[in-house]
């Protein structure tokens, strides 16, 4: 240990550190005794604060990492974060200004919306991702990327997109949507390589093109999904394609916000079709991201799945009073197939034993009713899956989250074992759709996450899901 200096530190160069505590105030290798009376005050360390930091970090005299829209210091301490006007980055004239309370990027930026209801409470992590995409830390046996130990972002309720934001503002004449050569490549990929289902994709592409000028969010979301599909099949360029997917989804949400704010107080059946397409593609994209990138840990997956259900339920919001209008669009074959499959005489019994277990549980009556309703919805999805052609039965998987009630989601948020068992049975359905790129090997992963969390006490109810993933291979 160096001997304590007999006089204050003196620095020959650099900014004047001024008074205050610092490493040099007690002992410092560069300290030397003897000085004039002007150097009697304790000296603090050299200036390490950021020049363009937020107001709160400046007030607290700490270094700001200048992350937008909220720096990490303010995020952790849950403080309001704003930046000096001179430090902010100007918004390009060609891009509409996002309403950050609504237009979030699920794989990039997290914003806690103040208008969220208790039922739509945010992720327990409260973490904020920087303005960049998530990258896979490993790839599963089917090439599905998995991010380990990633705290899921907080997603807004889909209803918040429709409600708009009274405090938001935007130019009276929004810039026209622009598509570049990069977007044409993604569009070509969606047309030729992004296999989803026989009835849905051709109609979706046609509608997106038809409304590309007036409702560009549908096209942007289609291209975002195509970019993620390209990232999955081109691991060497995964970073670039994931960035494109994030960028396009952000722009889609910006345009969607603008459209809903402009039409929030008027019925506009003319825009129902592109809105429904956007809602459907967004919910599919969210399901893919949840299954592909959030299986690193049980809590990361559950939190992300819960958050994504808010967006899935938005499809029902769009369809609630507009089913007949949608039925007259190019999506009619797809809609009719789903309806016929749901009205099929096929009645499976996959969830019968689980429903009896829920009926005999010691949960509160309201929670029993919520879990039983979710169990019946999973059985409905099994029936639809069995009734649809193999090329289209992925719709049973994507439709299920739309049917989950807020009461069930609340039970899932509280990690009620019966609610988790329902999700494990849904994992069986995922496993049976493993040939779809939307799902991959997620079914087995979800079942194992839940089984490991619940432990041996619940091994009997989990016996059938575990048997399925071990016997139904190929």
């Amino acid at each position: 240990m160096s001997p304590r200096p007999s006089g204050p530190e003196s620095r020959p160069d650099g900014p004047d550190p001024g008074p205050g505590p610092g490493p040099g105030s007690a002992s410092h290798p560069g300290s030397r005794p003897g000085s004039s009376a002007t150097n009697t005050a304790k000296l603090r360390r050299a200036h390490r604060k950021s020049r363009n930091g937020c107001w709160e970090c400046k007030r607290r005299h700490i270094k700001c990492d200048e992350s937008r829209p909220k720096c990490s210091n303010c995020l952790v301490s849950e403080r309001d974060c704003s930046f000096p006007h001179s430090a902010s980055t100007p918004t390009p004239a060609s891009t509409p200004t996002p309403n950050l309370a609504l237009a979030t990027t699920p794989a990039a930026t997290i914003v806690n919306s103040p208008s969220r209801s208790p039922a739509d409470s945010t992720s327990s992590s409260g973490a904020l991702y920087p303005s960049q995409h998530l990258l896979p830390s490993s790839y599963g046996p089917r090439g599905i990327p998995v991010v380990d130990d990633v705290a899921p972002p907080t997603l807004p309720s889909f209803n918040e997109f429709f409600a708009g934001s009274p405090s938001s503002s935007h130019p009276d004449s929004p810039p026209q949507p622009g598509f570049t050569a990069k977007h044409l490549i993604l569009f070509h990929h969606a047309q030729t390589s992004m296999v989803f289902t026989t009835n849905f994709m051709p109609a979706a592409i046609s509608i997106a093109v038809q409304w590309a000028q007036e409702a560009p969010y549908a096209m942007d979301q289609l291209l975002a999904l195509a970019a993620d599909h390209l990232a999955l099949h081109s691991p060497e360029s995964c970073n670039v394609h994931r960035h494109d997917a994030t960028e396009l989804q952000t722009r889609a949400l910006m345009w969607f916000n603008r459209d809903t704010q402009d039409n929030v107080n008027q019925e506009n059946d003319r825009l129902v079709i592109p809105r429904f397409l956007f809602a459907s593609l967004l919910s599919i994209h969210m399901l893919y991201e949840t299954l592909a990138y959030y299986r690193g840990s049980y809590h990361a997956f559950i939190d992300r799945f819960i958050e994504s259900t808010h967006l899935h339920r938005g499809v029902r919001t769009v369809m609630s009073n507009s089913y007949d209008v949608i039925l007259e669009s190019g999506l009619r074959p797809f809609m009719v197939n789903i309806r016929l499959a749901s009205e099929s005489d096929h009645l499976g019994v996959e969830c019968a034993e689980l429903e009896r277990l829920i009926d005999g549980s010691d949960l509160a009556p309201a929670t029993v009713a919520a879990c039983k309703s979710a169990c019946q919805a999973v059985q409905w999805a099994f029936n639809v899956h069995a009734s649809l052609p193999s090329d289209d039965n992925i719709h049973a998987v994507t439709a299920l989250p739309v049917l989950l009630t807020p009461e069930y989601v609340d039970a899932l948020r509280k990690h009620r074992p019966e609610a988790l068992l329902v999700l494990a049975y849904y994992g069986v359905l995922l496993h049976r759709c493993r040939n779809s790129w939307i799902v991959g090997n997620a079914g087995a992963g979800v079942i194992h996450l839940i089984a490991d969390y619940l432990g041996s006490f619940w091994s009997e109810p989990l016996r059938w899901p575990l048997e399925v993933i071990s016997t139904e291979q190929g």
Side-chain angles (χ1 to χ4, degrees):
M1 178 179 296
S2 301
R4 187 178 187 87
S6 59
E9 176 187 17
S10 176
R11 297 179 61 89
D13 53 7
D16 178 15
S25 61
S27 62
H28 193 280
S31 300
R32 65 170 181 258
S35 181
S36 64
T38 58
N39 290 329
T40 57
K42 293 182 179 180
L43 300 180
R44 70 181 181 186
R45 61 192 173 196
H47 191 286
R48 292 176 56 197
K49 303 182 182 67
S50 59
R51 298 296 181 184
N52 297 318
C54 72
W55 289 117
E56 186 64 16
C57 286
K58 289 179 180 294
R59 186 186 69 78
R60 297 171 65 196
H61 303 292
I62 59 177
K63 183 176 176 62
C64 179
D65 62 4
E66 301 179 26
S67 296
R68 301 299 201 282
K70 197 169 186 178
C71 76
S72 59
N73 292 331
C74 293
L75 177 73
V76 171
S77 59
E78 299 182 351
R79 298 171 188 266
D80 292 332
C81 187
S82 59
F83 290 84
H85 180 71
S86 60
S88 61
T89 303
T91 302
S94 61
T95 304
T97 302
N99 176 359
L100 291 177
L102 302 173
T104 65
T105 306
T109 304
I110 310 158
V111 178
N112 291 329
S113 173
S115 60
R116 187 184 305 280
S117 65
D120 293 336
S121 60
T122 61
S123 162
S124 60
S125 66
L128 178 72
Y129 292 114
S131 300
Q132 62 209 31
H133 52 278
L134 291 173
L135 298 180
S137 59
S138 60
Y139 288 85
R142 292 184 54 81
I144 295 292
V146 177
V147 174
D148 294 326
D149 299 324
V150 176
T154 297
L155 300 174
S157 162
F158 196 93
N159 291 333
E160 292 173 349
F161 292 137
F162 268 90
S165 173
S167 61
S168 63
S169 60
H170 55 269
D172 293 334
S173 300
Q176 295 301 308
F179 297 99
T180 66
K182 174 179 67 176
H183 301 133
L184 289 176
I185 292 171
L186 292 175
F187 182 73
H188 180 263
H189 181 79
Q191 282 186 308
T192 60
S193 304
M194 193 172 70
V195 178
F196 185 52
T197 65
T198 54
N199 288 318
F200 183 75
M201 281 309 297
I205 291 171
S206 176
I207 292 171
V209 171
Q210 178 185 350
W211 291 93
Q213 185 74 18
E214 191 171 355
Y217 42 82
M219 177 60 79
D220 275 347
Q221 181 52 58
L222 174 68
L223 298 181
L225 196 60
D228 252 335
H229 182 264
L230 199 54
L232 178 62
H233 291 278
S234 303
E236 70 283 357
S237 305
C238 178
N239 291 5
V240 174
H241 299 314
R242 284 287 292 155
H243 175 79
D244 291 342
T246 294
E247 185 180 66
L248 284 160
Q249 193 174 81
T250 301
R251 193 172 78 166
L253 292 170
M254 291 178 188
W255 285 113
F256 188 80
N257 280 337
R258 188 184 300 279
D259 172 64
T260 53
Q261 290 169 19
D262 288 342
N263 299 282
V264 68
N265 294 320
Q266 56 181 301
E267 293 292 333
N268 197 340
D269 287 346
R270 197 171 52 84
L271 294 176
V272 164
I273 304 304
R275 287 185 181 184
F276 173 74
L277 178 61
F278 169 76
S280 300
L281 292 172
L282 180 62
S283 67
I284 292 168
H285 200 172
M286 292 306 306
L287 180 63
Y288 164 73
E289 287 190 329
T290 301
L291 297 176
Y293 290 94
Y294 290 84
R295 301 205 317 272
S297 72
Y298 163 82
H299 288 285
F301 172 75
I302 294 297
D303 285 352
R304 173 68 177 198
F305 184 83
I306 288 170
E307 296 293 341
S308 67
T309 57
H310 305 315
L311 294 183
H312 291 303
R313 288 201 300 270
V315 179
R316 182 190 291 178
T317 301
V318 180
M319 290 182 59
S320 57
N321 299 314
S322 307
Y323 181 80
D324 291 339
V325 176
I326 298 170
L327 201 59
E328 295 305 315
S329 71
L331 293 169
R332 179 182 177 85
F334 160 73
M335 303 291 290
V336 169
N337 274 6
I338 296 295
R339 185 178 66 184
L340 292 176
S342 63
E343 296 173 353
S344 168
D345 293 333
H346 177 84
L347 298 175
V349 294
E350 288 90 346
C351 298
E353 190 64 32
L354 177 59
E355 187 171 343
R356 284 192 288 270
L357 183 149
I358 294 172
D359 277 331
S361 70
D362 56 359
L363 295 171
T367 306
V368 169
C371 290
K372 187 173 180 179
S373 171
C375 181
Q376 292 169 346
V378 172
Q379 185 60 67
W380 173 89
F382 273 113
N383 296 343
V384 169
H385 175 268
S387 302
L388 284 172
S390 59
D391 292 340
D392 288 332
N393 57 23
I394 183 62
H395 290 302
V397 165
T398 60
L400 188 278
V402 178
L403 305 177
L404 299 178
T405 65
E407 293 76 17
Y408 169 74
V409 173
D410 187 56
L412 198 59
R413 182 181 287 111
K414 295 173 181 176
H415 305 279
R416 302 296 190 219
E418 290 81 0
L420 292 171
L421 289 174
V422 172
L423 196 56
Y425 274 58
Y426 176 56
V428 173
L429 188 61
L430 293 173
H431 183 70
R432 290 180 174 175
C433 291
R434 59 193 177 278
N435 290 328
S436 169
W437 70 274
I438 296 291
V439 176
N441 65 350
V446 169
I447 293 171
H448 281 302
L449 283 176
I450 294 172
D452 291 343
Y453 177 80
L454 290 179
S456 59
F457 184 82
W458 296 94
S459 59
E460 182 57 29
L462 284 165
R463 181 176 54 81
W464 179 68
L466 290 169
E467 282 182 359
V468 169
I469 61 176
S470 65
T471 58
E472 297 183 10
Q473 301 294 333

